[in-house]
Amino acid sequence: MKLSKVAIIGSGGREHALAWKFAQTLSWENVFTLPGNGGIPNSHTVNVDDFEEVERFCIYNSVDMIFVGPEQALAAGIVDFFNGKDIKVFGPDKQSAKLEASKIFAKKFMQKYGVATAGFEIFNTINDAKQTIAEKSGNLVIKFDGLAAGKGVFVCSTSEEANKALNELEIAYGEKVDLIIEDKIAGDEISIIGFTDGHTIKLLQSAQDHKQLLDGDQGPNTGGMGAYSPISDISDELMQKIHNKIIIPTLKGIHSEKMNYKGMIYFGLMVKDTEPYLLEYNARFGDPETEVLLPALKNDLYEIADACLSNKLETINLEFEEGYFADIVLVSGGYPKTYEKGFEIIGLEEIDKNTIIFHAGTKKEANKIITNGGRVINIVCKGKTLNEALEKAYYEANKINFKNMFFRKDIGKRKNKYF
Ligand code: GLY
């Protein structure tokens, strides 16, 4: 039987996890990552913003499916570009990807279809937004409408913080800027991520990301300092509410709007007093959630993706490993602000064979692996309990070293109060 060939778009830990998962059934020679990184086998330097270049690569290498990791390519219309061509692309089209790429589009969609979410107002100028802030007590979230690589969301506790956020947006985008001011819900965050073919959503296990840099959820927001899965204290009752108040109305909306949505759908949830609220959609897998979700998935990823693309997701039963997975992210000192790159990563050969290493900001140079980004390495371990998974992951993290390396010491230790 002819094996399928997949090209994954992206270069981080999420893409390493995707490639690793595909390679289990397709083998590494049939799994290409564009552009990939220093630790993903079969990585290729391709300009992924240039869809014609991606197409040429795929035709030359007989790739039959593209799996898109990050949001940029989806928002730029990679699915639309390949529409009607011989290469299948897993992901929502440009219009559907607006659920992530436009916060205003997403909020209007949530409102229209009765998805539980925080109250909000839409603004088109900084001046109008400032007037509203003056009338509010200060507990609010300001969201730039477009994609901003994690830098467009400001969680504010005071009017001063809110004004500072608006000044930053004005410097970046000018006085006329589309944004949302949302009521702040202070609760516990959950990431719920699923596959969809536009008719059915099949969920992976729950996961919890740790977005802030420092222990105790202090310091600036980052792309994610660690994650674990599943979250054992989510009750069946809460899960039922998530289905009824968020997932089912979302699916109804996708269907009613006739969206061409065949890909991942990510529900970024906040739970307060056992009530779930949708903070955001992402049109892709989460990072670092993917690094703990895919090792737990027993199914063949190609088969699921193919079922989504041919409207047959209903026929797939997702199955999961018993136990827990924990991911500790090793980052460059100074991240998420300025940091140096190019330091050799020591100790990778000491890692236990049962530990999974997913590279993020790394590069191979003269047979050495060197740092090449803010988030550098993900250390993923499995345990019968969450504590066992965490203990192993921290033990392994301490074997690795590079200049200015930093990681959080309290991943998985958060006490969720509102489930
Ligand atoms: N873990 C958050 C995200 O992927 O956006």
Side-chain angles (χ1 to χ4, degrees), residues 355-402:
T355 298
I356 313 171
I357 298 290
F358 292 130
H359 288 234
T362 73
K363 192 160 104 175
K364 204 181 251 174
E365 220 171 70
N367 281 333
K368 289 181 180 164
I369 300 287
I370 62 170
T371 65
N372 192 39
R375 291 192 293 169
V376 177
I377 293 272
N378 296 266
I379 313 251
V380 179
C381 287
K382 183 184 179 190
K384 285 197 192 73
T385 62
L386 176 58
N387 266 343
E388 187 186 322
L390 290 165
E391 267 173 32
K392 282 188 195 167
Y394 277 115
Y395 180 76
E396 297 289 274
N398 282 309
K399 293 179 182 171
I400 307 266
N401 199 13
F402 53 85

mmCIF file of all heavy atoms in Angstrom, residues 355-402:
data_model
loop_
_atom_site.group_PDB
_atom_site.id
_atom_site.type_symbol
_atom_site.label_atom_id
_atom_site.label_comp_id
_atom_site.label_asym_id
_atom_site.label_seq_id
_atom_site.Cartn_x
_atom_site.Cartn_y
_atom_site.Cartn_z
ATOM 1 N N THR A 355 11.205 9.471 28.097
ATOM 2 C CA THR A 355 10.876 10.905 28.097
ATOM 3 C C THR A 355 10.808 11.381 26.660
ATOM 4 O O THR A 355 11.612 10.967 25.826
ATOM 5 C CB THR A 355 11.970 11.683 28.852
ATOM 6 O OG1 THR A 355 11.973 11.226 30.192
ATOM 7 C CG2 THR A 355 11.750 13.185 28.816
ATOM 8 N N ILE A 356 9.857 12.241 26.379
ATOM 9 C CA ILE A 356 9.749 12.764 25.014
ATOM 10 C C ILE A 356 10.268 14.197 25.020
ATOM 11 O O ILE A 356 9.847 15.019 25.844
ATOM 12 C CB ILE A 356 8.291 12.761 24.502
ATOM 13 C CG1 ILE A 356 7.611 11.427 24.792
ATOM 14 C CG2 ILE A 356 8.259 13.045 23.012
ATOM 15 C CD1 ILE A 356 6.116 11.449 24.518
ATOM 16 N N ILE A 357 11.172 14.467 24.093
ATOM 17 C CA ILE A 357 11.705 15.828 23.941
ATOM 18 C C ILE A 357 11.125 16.409 22.664
ATOM 19 O O ILE A 357 11.302 15.842 21.588
ATOM 20 C CB ILE A 357 13.253 15.797 23.818
ATOM 21 C CG1 ILE A 357 13.884 15.207 25.078
ATOM 22 C CG2 ILE A 357 13.815 17.172 23.509
ATOM 23 C CD1 ILE A 357 13.799 16.073 26.299
ATOM 24 N N PHE A 358 10.427 17.524 22.804
ATOM 25 C CA PHE A 358 9.948 18.233 21.624
ATOM 26 C C PHE A 358 10.711 19.553 21.539
ATOM 27 O O PHE A 358 10.637 20.384 22.451
ATOM 28 C CB PHE A 358 8.440 18.498 21.702
ATOM 29 C CG PHE A 358 7.591 17.251 21.602
ATOM 30 C CD1 PHE A 358 6.582 17.005 22.525
ATOM 31 C CD2 PHE A 358 7.786 16.335 20.577
ATOM 32 C CE1 PHE A 358 5.795 15.866 22.432
ATOM 33 C CE2 PHE A 358 6.997 15.183 20.474
ATOM 34 C CZ PHE A 358 6.001 14.951 21.410
ATOM 35 N N HIS A 359 11.428 19.706 20.429
ATOM 36 C CA HIS A 359 12.205 20.935 20.244
ATOM 37 C C HIS A 359 11.302 22.085 19.799
ATOM 38 O O HIS A 359 10.334 21.869 19.069
ATOM 39 C CB HIS A 359 13.266 20.735 19.158
ATOM 40 C CG HIS A 359 14.406 19.864 19.574
ATOM 41 N ND1 HIS A 359 15.716 20.265 19.480
ATOM 42 C CD2 HIS A 359 14.432 18.618 20.079
ATOM 43 C CE1 HIS A 359 16.502 19.284 19.918
ATOM 44 N NE2 HIS A 359 15.747 18.278 20.280
ATOM 45 N N ALA A 360 11.649 23.292 20.236
ATOM 46 C CA ALA A 360 10.927 24.487 19.779
ATOM 47 C C ALA A 360 11.963 25.428 19.144
ATOM 48 O O ALA A 360 12.295 25.255 17.967
ATOM 49 C CB ALA A 360 10.182 25.125 20.940
ATOM 50 N N GLY A 361 12.530 26.363 19.911
ATOM 51 C CA GLY A 361 13.528 27.274 19.348
ATOM 52 C C GLY A 361 14.912 26.656 19.389
ATOM 53 O O GLY A 361 15.731 27.020 20.237
ATOM 54 N N THR A 362 15.176 25.718 18.489
ATOM 55 C CA THR A 362 16.514 25.117 18.408
ATOM 56 C C THR A 362 16.978 25.076 16.948
ATOM 57 O O THR A 362 16.169 25.120 16.029
ATOM 58 C CB THR A 362 16.567 23.665 18.949
ATOM 59 O OG1 THR A 362 15.924 22.799 18.012
ATOM 60 C CG2 THR A 362 15.926 23.530 20.309
ATOM 61 N N LYS A 363 18.289 24.958 16.807
ATOM 62 C CA LYS A 363 18.883 24.903 15.472
ATOM 63 C C LYS A 363 20.047 23.921 15.537
ATOM 64 O O LYS A 363 20.710 23.825 16.581
ATOM 65 C CB LYS A 363 19.405 26.310 15.150
ATOM 66 C CG LYS A 363 19.795 26.547 13.740
ATOM 67 C CD LYS A 363 19.813 28.038 13.473
ATOM 68 C CE LYS A 363 21.211 28.577 13.419
ATOM 69 N NZ LYS A 363 21.309 29.967 13.057
ATOM 70 N N LYS A 364 20.280 23.208 14.451
ATOM 71 C CA LYS A 364 21.426 22.294 14.404
ATOM 72 C C LYS A 364 22.585 23.028 13.730
ATOM 73 O O LYS A 364 22.395 23.625 12.661
ATOM 74 C CB LYS A 364 21.052 21.054 13.600
ATOM 75 C CG LYS A 364 21.883 19.836 13.961
ATOM 76 C CD LYS A 364 21.489 18.662 13.118
ATOM 77 C CE LYS A 364 20.759 17.636 13.936
ATOM 78 N NZ LYS A 364 20.229 16.543 13.136
ATOM 79 N N GLU A 365 23.749 23.008 14.367
ATOM 80 C CA GLU A 365 24.905 23.688 13.769
ATOM 81 C C GLU A 365 26.139 22.855 14.079
ATOM 82 O O GLU A 365 26.446 22.640 15.255
ATOM 83 C CB GLU A 365 25.040 25.101 14.387
ATOM 84 C CG GLU A 365 25.419 26.151 13.360
ATOM 85 C CD GLU A 365 25.334 27.550 13.955
ATOM 86 O OE1 GLU A 365 26.172 27.880 14.818
ATOM 87 O OE2 GLU A 365 24.426 28.283 13.571
ATOM 88 N N ALA A 366 26.808 22.405 13.057
ATOM 89 C CA ALA A 366 28.025 21.582 13.205
ATOM 90 C C ALA A 366 27.812 20.462 14.224
ATOM 91 O O ALA A 366 28.583 20.313 15.183
ATOM 92 C CB ALA A 366 29.201 22.469 13.623
ATOM 93 N N ASN A 367 26.755 19.696 14.032
ATOM 94 C CA ASN A 367 26.428 18.555 14.904
ATOM 95 C C ASN A 367 26.115 18.916 16.351
ATOM 96 O O ASN A 367 26.105 18.050 17.211
ATOM 97 C CB ASN A 367 27.537 17.492 14.867
ATOM 98 C CG ASN A 367 27.401 16.667 13.616
ATOM 99 O OD1 ASN A 367 26.289 16.538 13.079
ATOM 100 N ND2 ASN A 367 28.508 16.126 13.145
ATOM 101 N N LYS A 368 25.904 20.191 16.598
ATOM 102 C CA LYS A 368 25.482 20.609 17.937
ATOM 103 C C LYS A 368 24.065 21.159 17.823
ATOM 104 O O LYS A 368 23.681 21.693 16.777
ATOM 105 C CB LYS A 368 26.377 21.736 18.466
ATOM 106 C CG LYS A 368 27.763 21.274 18.826
ATOM 107 C CD LYS A 368 28.545 22.442 19.361
ATOM 108 C CE LYS A 368 29.947 21.982 19.727
ATOM 109 N NZ LYS A 368 30.859 23.091 19.896
ATOM 110 N N ILE A 369 23.305 21.043 18.917
ATOM 111 C CA ILE A 369 21.988 21.679 18.953
ATOM 112 C C ILE A 369 22.143 22.967 19.750
ATOM 113 O O ILE A 369 22.625 22.934 20.903
ATOM 114 C CB ILE A 369 20.929 20.762 19.613
ATOM 115 C CG1 ILE A 369 20.788 19.442 18.843
ATOM 116 C CG2 ILE A 369 19.580 21.480 19.712
ATOM 117 C CD1 ILE A 369 20.088 19.543 17.506
ATOM 118 N N ILE A 370 21.773 24.070 19.149
ATOM 119 C CA ILE A 370 21.936 25.360 19.831
ATOM 120 C C ILE A 370 20.580 26.063 19.967
ATOM 121 O O ILE A 370 19.640 25.768 19.233
ATOM 122 C CB ILE A 370 22.951 26.269 19.101
ATOM 123 C CG1 ILE A 370 22.469 26.589 17.683
ATOM 124 C CG2 ILE A 370 24.333 25.647 19.067
ATOM 125 C CD1 ILE A 370 23.300 27.652 17.006
ATOM 126 N N THR A 371 20.517 26.983 20.924
ATOM 127 C CA THR A 371 19.263 27.705 21.144
ATOM 128 C C THR A 371 19.040 28.689 19.995
ATOM 129 O O THR A 371 19.977 29.292 19.480
ATOM 130 C CB THR A 371 19.282 28.478 22.485
ATOM 131 O OG1 THR A 371 20.291 29.501 22.423
ATOM 132 C CG2 THR A 371 19.571 27.556 23.648
ATOM 133 N N ASN A 372 17.756 28.807 19.621
ATOM 134 C CA ASN A 372 17.432 29.662 18.480
ATOM 135 C C ASN A 372 16.090 30.369 18.664
ATOM 136 O O ASN A 372 15.437 30.717 17.698
ATOM 137 C CB ASN A 372 17.407 28.792 17.204
ATOM 138 C CG ASN A 372 17.361 29.614 15.946
ATOM 139 O OD1 ASN A 372 18.019 30.649 15.849
ATOM 140 N ND2 ASN A 372 16.550 29.189 14.987
ATOM 141 N N GLY A 373 15.654 30.497 19.932
ATOM 142 C CA GLY A 373 14.352 31.129 20.168
ATOM 143 C C GLY A 373 14.122 31.306 21.653
ATOM 144 O O GLY A 373 14.991 30.992 22.474
ATOM 145 N N GLY A 374 12.942 31.803 21.994
ATOM 146 C CA GLY A 374 12.594 32.043 23.393
ATOM 147 C C GLY A 374 12.243 30.742 24.099
ATOM 148 O O GLY A 374 12.857 30.365 25.099
ATOM 149 N N ARG A 375 11.240 30.058 23.566
ATOM 150 C CA ARG A 375 10.928 28.734 24.101
ATOM 151 C C ARG A 375 11.817 27.746 23.364
ATOM 152 O O ARG A 375 11.822 27.705 22.127
ATOM 153 C CB ARG A 375 9.447 28.429 23.884
ATOM 154 C CG ARG A 375 8.586 29.310 24.770
ATOM 155 C CD ARG A 375 7.159 28.860 24.801
ATOM 156 N NE ARG A 375 6.499 29.033 23.533
ATOM 157 C CZ ARG A 375 5.302 28.506 23.251
ATOM 158 N NH1 ARG A 375 4.684 27.774 24.139
ATOM 159 N NH2 ARG A 375 4.737 28.715 22.081
ATOM 160 N N VAL A 376 12.559 26.954 24.094
ATOM 161 C CA VAL A 376 13.635 26.182 23.461
ATOM 162 C C VAL A 376 13.302 24.692 23.379
ATOM 163 O O VAL A 376 13.355 24.087 22.305
ATOM 164 C CB VAL A 376 14.965 26.416 24.221
ATOM 165 C CG1 VAL A 376 16.089 25.560 23.639
ATOM 166 C CG2 VAL A 376 15.350 27.892 24.161
ATOM 167 N N ILE A 377 12.967 24.087 24.521
ATOM 168 C CA ILE A 377 12.788 22.626 24.587
ATOM 169 C C ILE A 377 11.571 22.320 25.455
ATOM 170 O O ILE A 377 11.378 22.957 26.490
ATOM 171 C CB ILE A 377 14.033 21.965 25.252
ATOM 172 C CG1 ILE A 377 15.283 22.095 24.383
ATOM 173 C CG2 ILE A 377 13.773 20.527 25.655
ATOM 174 C CD1 ILE A 377 15.506 21.006 23.376
ATOM 175 N N ASN A 378 10.788 21.339 25.036
ATOM 176 C CA ASN A 378 9.696 20.813 25.876
ATOM 177 C C ASN A 378 10.110 19.444 26.391
ATOM 178 O O ASN A 378 10.523 18.588 25.600
ATOM 179 C CB ASN A 378 8.419 20.592 25.055
ATOM 180 C CG ASN A 378 7.864 21.876 24.495
ATOM 181 O OD1 ASN A 378 6.998 22.505 25.076
ATOM 182 N ND2 ASN A 378 8.381 22.279 23.346
ATOM 183 N N ILE A 379 9.961 19.244 27.702
ATOM 184 C CA ILE A 379 10.257 17.943 28.301
ATOM 185 C C ILE A 379 8.923 17.317 28.685
ATOM 186 O O ILE A 379 8.219 17.858 29.548
ATOM 187 C CB ILE A 379 11.085 18.103 29.579
ATOM 188 C CG1 ILE A 379 12.235 19.060 29.351
ATOM 189 C CG2 ILE A 379 11.457 16.764 30.176
ATOM 190 C CD1 ILE A 379 13.567 18.470 29.307
ATOM 191 N N VAL A 380 8.570 16.207 28.078
ATOM 192 C CA VAL A 380 7.248 15.617 28.303
ATOM 193 C C VAL A 380 7.398 14.239 28.950
ATOM 194 O O VAL A 380 8.109 13.378 28.430
ATOM 195 C CB VAL A 380 6.468 15.498 26.977
ATOM 196 C CG1 VAL A 380 5.102 14.861 27.202
ATOM 197 C CG2 VAL A 380 6.313 16.874 26.332
ATOM 198 N N CYS A 381 6.735 14.053 30.087
ATOM 199 C CA CYS A 381 6.777 12.761 30.779
ATOM 200 C C CYS A 381 5.377 12.301 31.132
ATOM 201 O O CYS A 381 4.471 13.110 31.326
ATOM 202 C CB CYS A 381 7.613 12.862 32.057
ATOM 203 S SG CYS A 381 9.366 12.990 31.717
ATOM 204 N N LYS A 382 5.274 10.978 31.245
ATOM 205 C CA LYS A 382 3.999 10.358 31.585
ATOM 206 C C LYS A 382 4.075 9.777 32.990
ATOM 207 O O LYS A 382 5.135 9.309 33.411
ATOM 208 C CB LYS A 382 3.729 9.232 30.577
ATOM 209 C CG LYS A 382 2.408 8.564 30.792
ATOM 210 C CD LYS A 382 2.208 7.381 29.850
ATOM 211 C CE LYS A 382 0.858 6.770 30.192
ATOM 212 N NZ LYS A 382 0.616 5.511 29.564
ATOM 213 N N GLY A 383 2.938 9.813 33.709
ATOM 214 C CA GLY A 383 2.892 9.156 35.017
ATOM 215 C C GLY A 383 1.517 8.590 35.271
ATOM 216 O O GLY A 383 0.545 9.004 34.642
ATOM 217 N N LYS A 384 1.476 7.646 36.231
ATOM 218 C CA LYS A 384 0.151 7.123 36.609
ATOM 219 C C LYS A 384 -0.666 8.217 37.273
ATOM 220 O O LYS A 384 -1.876 8.260 37.188
ATOM 221 C CB LYS A 384 0.320 5.960 37.589
ATOM 222 C CG LYS A 384 0.782 4.683 36.939
ATOM 223 C CD LYS A 384 0.520 3.506 37.891
ATOM 224 C CE LYS A 384 1.234 2.262 37.408
ATOM 225 N NZ LYS A 384 2.706 2.331 37.605
ATOM 226 N N THR A 385 0.047 9.106 37.988
ATOM 227 C CA THR A 385 -0.608 10.275 38.590
ATOM 228 C C THR A 385 0.040 11.517 37.987
ATOM 229 O O THR A 385 1.148 11.442 37.415
ATOM 230 C CB THR A 385 -0.380 10.305 40.111
ATOM 231 O OG1 THR A 385 1.037 10.425 40.328
ATOM 232 C CG2 THR A 385 -0.908 9.056 40.796
ATOM 233 N N LEU A 386 -0.625 12.660 38.173
ATOM 234 C CA LEU A 386 -0.034 13.903 37.672
ATOM 235 C C LEU A 386 1.285 14.176 38.391
ATOM 236 O O LEU A 386 2.281 14.563 37.769
ATOM 237 C CB LEU A 386 -1.021 15.064 37.882
ATOM 238 C CG LEU A 386 -0.504 16.445 37.501
ATOM 239 C CD1 LEU A 386 -0.066 16.491 36.043
ATOM 240 C CD2 LEU A 386 -1.558 17.515 37.781
ATOM 241 N N ASN A 387 1.318 13.920 39.697
ATOM 242 C CA ASN A 387 2.555 14.168 40.451
ATOM 243 C C ASN A 387 3.710 13.345 39.920
ATOM 244 O O ASN A 387 4.832 13.837 39.816
ATOM 245 C CB ASN A 387 2.339 13.854 41.929
ATOM 246 C CG ASN A 387 1.957 15.111 42.664
ATOM 247 O OD1 ASN A 387 2.168 16.217 42.149
ATOM 248 N ND2 ASN A 387 1.365 14.953 43.846
ATOM 249 N N GLU A 388 3.429 12.095 39.585
ATOM 250 C CA GLU A 388 4.495 11.234 39.049
ATOM 251 C C GLU A 388 5.011 11.803 37.717
ATOM 252 O O GLU A 388 6.222 11.875 37.486
ATOM 253 C CB GLU A 388 3.947 9.816 38.854
ATOM 254 C CG GLU A 388 5.011 8.806 38.473
ATOM 255 C CD GLU A 388 4.415 7.441 38.133
ATOM 256 O OE1 GLU A 388 3.449 7.010 38.794
ATOM 257 O OE2 GLU A 388 4.925 6.823 37.173
ATOM 258 N N ALA A 389 4.079 12.229 36.858
ATOM 259 C CA ALA A 389 4.484 12.806 35.562
ATOM 260 C C ALA A 389 5.336 14.057 35.783
ATOM 261 O O ALA A 389 6.370 14.248 35.130
ATOM 262 C CB ALA A 389 3.242 13.142 34.742
ATOM 263 N N LEU A 390 4.918 14.888 36.733
ATOM 264 C CA LEU A 390 5.645 16.139 36.999
ATOM 265 C C LEU A 390 7.022 15.869 37.590
ATOM 266 O O LEU A 390 8.016 16.479 37.199
ATOM 267 C CB LEU A 390 4.843 17.013 37.967
ATOM 268 C CG LEU A 390 3.569 17.628 37.389
ATOM 269 C CD1 LEU A 390 2.675 18.157 38.496
ATOM 270 C CD2 LEU A 390 3.907 18.741 36.397
ATOM 271 N N GLU A 391 7.068 14.930 38.527
ATOM 272 C CA GLU A 391 8.365 14.611 39.157
ATOM 273 C C GLU A 391 9.371 14.142 38.128
ATOM 274 O O GLU A 391 10.525 14.559 38.112
ATOM 275 C CB GLU A 391 8.176 13.545 40.234
ATOM 276 C CG GLU A 391 7.956 14.154 41.599
ATOM 277 C CD GLU A 391 7.608 13.120 42.645
ATOM 278 O OE1 GLU A 391 8.082 11.964 42.540
ATOM 279 O OE2 GLU A 391 6.842 13.460 43.570
ATOM 280 N N LYS A 392 8.900 13.254 37.239
ATOM 281 C CA LYS A 392 9.810 12.754 36.187
ATOM 282 C C LYS A 392 10.254 13.901 35.280
ATOM 283 O O LYS A 392 11.429 14.002 34.926
ATOM 284 C CB LYS A 392 9.074 11.719 35.318
ATOM 285 C CG LYS A 392 8.931 10.348 35.934
ATOM 286 C CD LYS A 392 8.369 9.416 34.861
ATOM 287 C CE LYS A 392 7.858 8.130 35.457
ATOM 288 N NZ LYS A 392 7.037 7.359 34.511
ATOM 289 N N ALA A 393 9.296 14.745 34.887
ATOM 290 C CA ALA A 393 9.626 15.822 33.941
ATOM 291 C C ALA A 393 10.645 16.791 34.562
ATOM 292 O O ALA A 393 11.591 17.217 33.899
ATOM 293 C CB ALA A 393 8.359 16.558 33.520
ATOM 294 N N TYR A 394 10.472 17.108 35.854
ATOM 295 C CA TYR A 394 11.437 18.010 36.504
ATOM 296 C C TYR A 394 12.807 17.346 36.663
ATOM 297 O O TYR A 394 13.846 17.992 36.501
ATOM 298 C CB TYR A 394 10.904 18.513 37.853
ATOM 299 C CG TYR A 394 9.988 19.699 37.649
ATOM 300 C CD1 TYR A 394 8.644 19.633 37.950
ATOM 301 C CD2 TYR A 394 10.487 20.891 37.122
ATOM 302 C CE1 TYR A 394 7.804 20.729 37.739
ATOM 303 C CE2 TYR A 394 9.667 21.986 36.903
ATOM 304 C CZ TYR A 394 8.328 21.900 37.209
ATOM 305 O OH TYR A 394 7.524 22.980 36.984
ATOM 306 N N TYR A 395 12.798 16.037 36.957
ATOM 307 C CA TYR A 395 14.066 15.303 37.069
ATOM 308 C C TYR A 395 14.830 15.389 35.731
ATOM 309 O O TYR A 395 16.024 15.653 35.690
ATOM 310 C CB TYR A 395 13.758 13.846 37.446
ATOM 311 C CG TYR A 395 14.973 12.983 37.594
ATOM 312 C CD1 TYR A 395 15.771 13.076 38.728
ATOM 313 C CD2 TYR A 395 15.326 12.075 36.595
ATOM 314 C CE1 TYR A 395 16.901 12.287 38.863
ATOM 315 C CE2 TYR A 395 16.452 11.271 36.718
ATOM 316 C CZ TYR A 395 17.235 11.389 37.854
ATOM 317 O OH TYR A 395 18.354 10.617 37.985
ATOM 318 N N GLU A 396 14.084 15.195 34.654
ATOM 319 C CA GLU A 396 14.696 15.225 33.325
ATOM 320 C C GLU A 396 15.136 16.650 32.945
ATOM 321 O O GLU A 396 16.189 16.841 32.353
ATOM 322 C CB GLU A 396 13.694 14.710 32.274
ATOM 323 C CG GLU A 396 13.297 13.263 32.472
ATOM 324 C CD GLU A 396 14.412 12.298 32.143
ATOM 325 O OE1 GLU A 396 14.555 11.937 30.970
ATOM 326 O OE2 GLU A 396 15.156 11.922 33.079
ATOM 327 N N ALA A 397 14.296 17.635 33.321
ATOM 328 C CA ALA A 397 14.629 19.032 32.983
ATOM 329 C C ALA A 397 15.973 19.422 33.596
ATOM 330 O O ALA A 397 16.756 20.164 32.992
ATOM 331 C CB ALA A 397 13.531 19.968 33.478
ATOM 332 N N ASN A 398 16.250 18.880 34.785
ATOM 333 C CA ASN A 398 17.502 19.226 35.467
ATOM 334 C C ASN A 398 18.734 18.598 34.818
ATOM 335 O O ASN A 398 19.855 18.924 35.173
ATOM 336 C CB ASN A 398 17.404 18.862 36.947
ATOM 337 C CG ASN A 398 16.584 19.913 37.694
ATOM 338 O OD1 ASN A 398 16.855 21.107 37.585
ATOM 339 N ND2 ASN A 398 15.555 19.467 38.400
ATOM 340 N N LYS A 399 18.529 17.695 33.857
ATOM 341 C CA LYS A 399 19.678 17.117 33.139
ATOM 342 C C LYS A 399 20.143 18.027 31.992
ATOM 343 O O LYS A 399 21.206 17.846 31.433
ATOM 344 C CB LYS A 399 19.280 15.764 32.529
ATOM 345 C CG LYS A 399 18.992 14.677 33.545
ATOM 346 C CD LYS A 399 18.589 13.425 32.786
ATOM 347 C CE LYS A 399 18.241 12.284 33.710
ATOM 348 N NZ LYS A 399 17.644 11.150 32.954
ATOM 349 N N ILE A 400 19.259 18.954 31.601
ATOM 350 C CA ILE A 400 19.554 19.802 30.437
ATOM 351 C C ILE A 400 20.116 21.132 30.906
ATOM 352 O O ILE A 400 19.712 21.646 31.948
ATOM 353 C CB ILE A 400 18.253 20.090 29.638
ATOM 354 C CG1 ILE A 400 17.534 18.798 29.293
ATOM 355 C CG2 ILE A 400 18.510 20.958 28.404
ATOM 356 C CD1 ILE A 400 17.854 18.225 27.977
ATOM 357 N N ASN A 401 20.985 21.680 30.110
ATOM 358 C CA ASN A 401 21.505 22.994 30.452
ATOM 359 C C ASN A 401 21.905 23.771 29.194
ATOM 360 O O ASN A 401 22.343 23.181 28.214
ATOM 361 C CB ASN A 401 22.718 22.866 31.386
ATOM 362 C CG ASN A 401 22.992 24.173 32.116
ATOM 363 O OD1 ASN A 401 22.161 25.074 32.117
ATOM 364 N ND2 ASN A 401 24.172 24.281 32.706
ATOM 365 N N PHE A 402 21.660 25.035 29.240
ATOM 366 C CA PHE A 402 22.245 25.962 28.270
ATOM 367 C C PHE A 402 22.338 27.313 28.960
ATOM 368 O O PHE A 402 21.653 27.546 29.978
ATOM 369 C CB PHE A 402 21.438 26.023 26.956
ATOM 370 C CG PHE A 402 19.971 26.317 27.107
ATOM 371 C CD1 PHE A 402 19.500 27.618 27.191
ATOM 372 C CD2 PHE A 402 19.043 25.270 27.143
ATOM 373 C CE1 PHE A 402 18.137 27.880 27.308
ATOM 374 C CE2 PHE A 402 17.678 25.529 27.258
ATOM 375 C CZ PHE A 402 17.223 26.830 27.344
#
